[in-house]
Amino acid sequence: MELRQLECFIAVAEESSFTRAAARLHIVQSAVSATIAALEGELHSRLLERTSRRVGLTDAGRALLPKARAALDAVRDARDAVDEVNGGVRGTLTVGTLSFLGVIDLPALMGRFHREHPAVSVRLATAASDGGSPGLLEALTAGRLDLAFVSIPDSPPSGVRWRDLTAMPLDLVVPASHRLADRNRVALGELAGEAFIDFPSGYGNRAVTDRAFTAAGLRRHVTIEITAIGAGADFVRHGLGVALLPRGSTEPDAGLVSLPVTGADLDWPISLATPGNRARSAAARAFECLVDLHLR
């Protein structure tokens, strides 16, 4: 077996598509197909089930996938060891992120990381494209991400290392014409009956909000679901509902009013998650150190 064969196999398995795997690897689809065929011939076993709609793993493919990932991780670790002796960090770092990180200035963080480690290629995956924090965690444990900024109010899932970084309150955002717009603060109980704009179930801020309403014995009606915080403010501005959004996530606006909410635990946590089932790369360790410096 060759490393390129394992890389192609992992890409097809994770993307469930030869076309998307080829795009990810920056090669033509025919090369991916030929590489997989050669690997199946080498192992005398069919690894992938191909249908008109998707590509899935056979039992042999499911058995190979974690071993293939471990093999590539071992090669990466070997390269990292040599690079560190030679005074450099190389490779690719894939980071998952939320659309808003509060006091964590991700562009500044990435800029500093690039200046200090110019030989590392950095890729970003967003929660909106990966299904929120649960999707980012799934990508992390599957090996598609090296680390991820996530918001999960509950205990971390198995196979994930977890470090809380910061937390910020969710404020009520209403249009300037709303009945509560002239208040300095509002109690959670006063929001019963409001139409809410919120994230889908599974997103961290939705979980915080749902938990607060349940604890207070209140029902809540979500009329519009969004995947970007900025979109929430836009819908509120046009009178389509109210929203609980992280403090500081909306710009001062004549059409919007943000109010602190009393009588509820509405702190939205942000954590840095890393895989617990495999060793971190040198690039991932360097990025973690930079996050710590950034928050001091």
Short mmCIF file of all heavy atoms in Angstrom, two decimals, residues 23-49:
data_model
loop_
_atom_site.label_atom_id
_atom_site.label_comp_id
_atom_site.label_asym_id
_atom_site.label_seq_id
_atom_site.Cartn_x
_atom_site.Cartn_y
_atom_site.Cartn_z
N ALA A 23 -11.96 16.81 -5.83
CA ALA A 23 -11.83 18.26 -5.62
C ALA A 23 -11.02 18.55 -4.37
O ALA A 23 -10.18 19.47 -4.35
CB ALA A 23 -13.21 18.89 -5.52
N ARG A 24 -11.25 17.78 -3.33
CA ARG A 24 -10.51 17.96 -2.07
C ARG A 24 -9.02 17.69 -2.23
O ARG A 24 -8.19 18.39 -1.64
CB ARG A 24 -11.12 17.05 -1.02
CG ARG A 24 -10.35 16.90 0.28
CD ARG A 24 -11.19 16.14 1.27
NE ARG A 24 -10.41 15.40 2.25
CZ ARG A 24 -10.94 14.67 3.24
NH1 ARG A 24 -12.25 14.59 3.35
NH2 ARG A 24 -10.17 14.02 4.11
N LEU A 25 -8.70 16.69 -3.05
CA LEU A 25 -7.30 16.30 -3.25
C LEU A 25 -6.64 17.03 -4.40
O LEU A 25 -5.44 16.84 -4.65
CB LEU A 25 -7.22 14.79 -3.48
CG LEU A 25 -7.68 13.90 -2.33
CD1 LEU A 25 -7.78 12.45 -2.78
CD2 LEU A 25 -6.75 14.03 -1.13
N HIS A 26 -7.43 17.84 -5.13
CA HIS A 26 -6.92 18.61 -6.27
C HIS A 26 -6.36 17.70 -7.36
O HIS A 26 -5.30 17.98 -7.94
CB HIS A 26 -5.85 19.62 -5.81
CG HIS A 26 -6.32 20.53 -4.72
ND1 HIS A 26 -7.28 21.51 -4.90
CD2 HIS A 26 -5.98 20.59 -3.40
CE1 HIS A 26 -7.50 22.13 -3.75
NE2 HIS A 26 -6.73 21.61 -2.83
N ILE A 27 -7.07 16.62 -7.64
CA ILE A 27 -6.71 15.74 -8.74
C ILE A 27 -7.98 15.39 -9.50
O ILE A 27 -9.09 15.67 -9.04
CB ILE A 27 -6.02 14.45 -8.25
CG1 ILE A 27 -6.92 13.66 -7.29
CG2 ILE A 27 -4.68 14.76 -7.59
CD1 ILE A 27 -6.33 12.34 -6.81
N VAL A 28 -7.84 14.79 -10.68
CA VAL A 28 -9.01 14.46 -11.48
C VAL A 28 -9.69 13.22 -10.91
O VAL A 28 -9.05 12.39 -10.25
CB VAL A 28 -8.62 14.23 -12.96
CG1 VAL A 28 -8.07 15.51 -13.57
CG2 VAL A 28 -7.62 13.09 -13.09
N GLN A 29 -10.99 13.10 -11.17
CA GLN A 29 -11.75 12.00 -10.60
C GLN A 29 -11.26 10.65 -11.10
O GLN A 29 -11.26 9.66 -10.34
CB GLN A 29 -13.23 12.17 -10.95
CG GLN A 29 -14.13 11.09 -10.34
CD GLN A 29 -15.59 11.34 -10.63
OE1 GLN A 29 -16.00 12.48 -10.81
NE2 GLN A 29 -16.38 10.28 -10.67
N SER A 30 -10.82 10.58 -12.36
CA SER A 30 -10.34 9.31 -12.88
C SER A 30 -9.12 8.81 -12.12
O SER A 30 -8.94 7.60 -11.93
CB SER A 30 -10.01 9.45 -14.37
OG SER A 30 -9.01 10.45 -14.57
N ALA A 31 -8.30 9.75 -11.62
CA ALA A 31 -7.12 9.35 -10.84
C ALA A 31 -7.53 8.77 -9.49
O ALA A 31 -6.94 7.82 -8.99
CB ALA A 31 -6.20 10.54 -10.64
N VAL A 32 -8.58 9.36 -8.89
CA VAL A 32 -9.09 8.82 -7.62
C VAL A 32 -9.62 7.41 -7.84
O VAL A 32 -9.33 6.50 -7.07
CB VAL A 32 -10.19 9.74 -7.05
CG1 VAL A 32 -10.80 9.11 -5.80
CG2 VAL A 32 -9.63 11.11 -6.71
N SER A 33 -10.43 7.23 -8.88
CA SER A 33 -11.01 5.92 -9.16
C SER A 33 -9.92 4.88 -9.40
O SER A 33 -9.99 3.75 -8.88
CB SER A 33 -11.92 6.00 -10.39
OG SER A 33 -13.01 6.89 -10.15
N ALA A 34 -8.89 5.25 -10.17
CA ALA A 34 -7.81 4.31 -10.46
C ALA A 34 -7.03 3.96 -9.19
O ALA A 34 -6.63 2.81 -8.98
CB ALA A 34 -6.87 4.90 -11.51
N THR A 35 -6.82 4.95 -8.33
CA THR A 35 -6.08 4.72 -7.09
C THR A 35 -6.84 3.79 -6.16
O THR A 35 -6.27 2.88 -5.55
CB THR A 35 -5.79 6.06 -6.39
OG1 THR A 35 -5.04 6.90 -7.27
CG2 THR A 35 -5.00 5.85 -5.11
N ILE A 36 -8.16 4.00 -6.05
CA ILE A 36 -8.99 3.14 -5.20
C ILE A 36 -9.01 1.72 -5.76
O ILE A 36 -8.92 0.73 -5.01
CB ILE A 36 -10.42 3.69 -5.08
CG1 ILE A 36 -10.42 5.03 -4.33
CG2 ILE A 36 -11.32 2.69 -4.35
CD1 ILE A 36 -9.91 4.98 -2.92
N ALA A 37 -9.12 1.60 -7.08
CA ALA A 37 -9.12 0.28 -7.70
C ALA A 37 -7.81 -0.46 -7.41
O ALA A 37 -7.79 -1.66 -7.13
CB ALA A 37 -9.34 0.40 -9.20
N ALA A 38 -6.69 0.28 -7.47
CA ALA A 38 -5.40 -0.33 -7.19
C ALA A 38 -5.30 -0.78 -5.73
O ALA A 38 -4.76 -1.85 -5.43
CB ALA A 38 -4.28 0.65 -7.52
N LEU A 39 -5.85 0.03 -4.83
CA LEU A 39 -5.83 -0.34 -3.41
C LEU A 39 -6.69 -1.57 -3.16
O LEU A 39 -6.29 -2.47 -2.42
CB LEU A 39 -6.32 0.85 -2.57
CG LEU A 39 -6.40 0.62 -1.05
CD1 LEU A 39 -5.03 0.29 -0.47
CD2 LEU A 39 -6.98 1.86 -0.36
N GLU A 40 -7.87 -1.63 -3.78
CA GLU A 40 -8.73 -2.81 -3.62
C GLU A 40 -8.05 -4.06 -4.18
O GLU A 40 -8.16 -5.15 -3.62
CB GLU A 40 -10.07 -2.56 -4.30
CG GLU A 40 -10.92 -1.52 -3.57
CD GLU A 40 -12.25 -1.23 -4.24
OE1 GLU A 40 -12.29 -1.26 -5.49
OE2 GLU A 40 -13.24 -0.98 -3.53
N GLY A 41 -7.31 -3.87 -5.29
CA GLY A 41 -6.57 -5.00 -5.84
C GLY A 41 -5.45 -5.45 -4.92
O GLY A 41 -5.21 -6.65 -4.75
N GLU A 42 -4.79 -4.48 -4.31
CA GLU A 42 -3.70 -4.79 -3.38
C GLU A 42 -4.22 -5.59 -2.19
O GLU A 42 -3.55 -6.51 -1.69
CB GLU A 42 -3.08 -3.47 -2.89
CG GLU A 42 -1.98 -3.60 -1.89
CD GLU A 42 -0.62 -3.85 -2.52
OE1 GLU A 42 -0.46 -3.55 -3.71
OE2 GLU A 42 0.26 -4.35 -1.81
N LEU A 43 -5.42 -5.24 -1.71
CA LEU A 43 -5.99 -5.88 -0.52
C LEU A 43 -6.91 -7.05 -0.86
O LEU A 43 -7.44 -7.70 0.05
CB LEU A 43 -6.76 -4.85 0.31
CG LEU A 43 -5.90 -3.73 0.91
CD1 LEU A 43 -6.79 -2.68 1.57
CD2 LEU A 43 -4.90 -4.27 1.92
N HIS A 44 -7.14 -7.27 -2.16
CA HIS A 44 -8.01 -8.36 -2.59
C HIS A 44 -9.39 -8.27 -1.93
O HIS A 44 -9.96 -9.28 -1.50
CB HIS A 44 -7.39 -9.74 -2.28
CG HIS A 44 -6.01 -9.90 -2.83
ND1 HIS A 44 -5.73 -10.02 -4.18
CD2 HIS A 44 -4.80 -9.94 -2.20
CE1 HIS A 44 -4.43 -10.14 -4.37
NE2 HIS A 44 -3.84 -10.09 -3.19
N SER A 45 -9.88 -7.04 -1.84
CA SER A 45 -11.17 -6.85 -1.17
C SER A 45 -11.82 -5.56 -1.66
O SER A 45 -11.14 -4.56 -1.90
CB SER A 45 -10.98 -6.77 0.35
OG SER A 45 -12.22 -6.67 1.01
N ARG A 46 -13.13 -5.61 -1.81
CA ARG A 46 -13.88 -4.41 -2.18
C ARG A 46 -14.04 -3.54 -0.94
O ARG A 46 -14.51 -4.01 0.11
CB ARG A 46 -15.24 -4.82 -2.74
CG ARG A 46 -15.98 -3.70 -3.45
CD ARG A 46 -17.22 -4.26 -4.14
NE ARG A 46 -17.93 -3.25 -4.91
CZ ARG A 46 -17.60 -2.89 -6.14
NH1 ARG A 46 -16.56 -3.46 -6.74
NH2 ARG A 46 -18.29 -1.96 -6.78
N LEU A 47 -13.67 -2.28 -1.06
CA LEU A 47 -13.69 -1.37 0.09
C LEU A 47 -14.88 -0.41 0.06
O LEU A 47 -15.30 0.09 1.11
CB LEU A 47 -12.40 -0.54 0.13
CG LEU A 47 -11.10 -1.34 0.22
CD1 LEU A 47 -9.91 -0.41 0.05
CD2 LEU A 47 -11.02 -2.09 1.54
N LEU A 48 -15.40 -0.13 -1.13
CA LEU A 48 -16.46 0.86 -1.28
C LEU A 48 -17.61 0.29 -2.09
O LEU A 48 -17.40 -0.42 -3.08
CB LEU A 48 -15.92 2.11 -1.98
CG LEU A 48 -14.78 2.86 -1.25
CD1 LEU A 48 -14.08 3.80 -2.21
CD2 LEU A 48 -15.33 3.62 -0.05
N GLU A 49 -18.82 0.64 -1.64
CA GLU A 49 -20.03 0.30 -2.38
C GLU A 49 -20.45 1.52 -3.17
O GLU A 49 -20.71 2.58 -2.61
CB GLU A 49 -21.15 -0.12 -1.42
CG GLU A 49 -20.91 -1.41 -0.67
CD GLU A 49 -21.09 -2.64 -1.56
OE1 GLU A 49 -21.42 -2.48 -2.76
OE2 GLU A 49 -20.89 -3.75 -1.04
#
